[in-house]
Amino acid sequence: MTEIFIEKKKYEAQQRELEKNAGTRPIVCGVMNCRWHDGISRCKAPSVQVGPGYASSSVDTVCATFEPKVIM
């Protein structure tokens, strides 16, 4: 019974998060040394620019928003 309650609470929290972020889609990123990386798997930059415009496959593209993370 407790497990069902915990799962329901998790589901409700996920729904609240989805509603809060309605209209936005997360940008999944694996570049851990970028300033904008959230430390888990997402980009937190206010906007993202990808290029160049002449790319013909994903290997031809780069994230122009990338900034090295400053470690103090």
Side-chain angles (χ1 to χ4, degrees), residues 3-36:
E3 291 174 21
I4 294 171
F5 178 76
I6 291 170
E7 288 302 314
K8 182 178 181 203
K9 290 297 181 187
K10 285 182 186 177
Y11 174 78
E12 290 170 350
Q14 289 172 341
Q15 292 302 313
R16 284 191 301 275
E17 187 69 21
L18 287 172
E19 289 171 9
K20 184 174 97 177
N21 296 322
T24 63
R25 293 184 180 176
I27 297 172
V28 178
C29 178
V31 185
M32 300 286 288
N33 65 329
C34 179
R35 167 188 179 190
W36 302 108

Side-chain angles (χ1 to χ4, degrees), residues 34-57:
C34 179
R35 167 188 179 190
W36 302 108
H37 195 275
D38 73 352
I40 301 170
S41 65
R42 295 199 175 153
C43 176
K44 295 296 183 181
S47 66
V48 175
Q49 181 178 353
V50 178
Y54 57 82
S56 60
S57 72

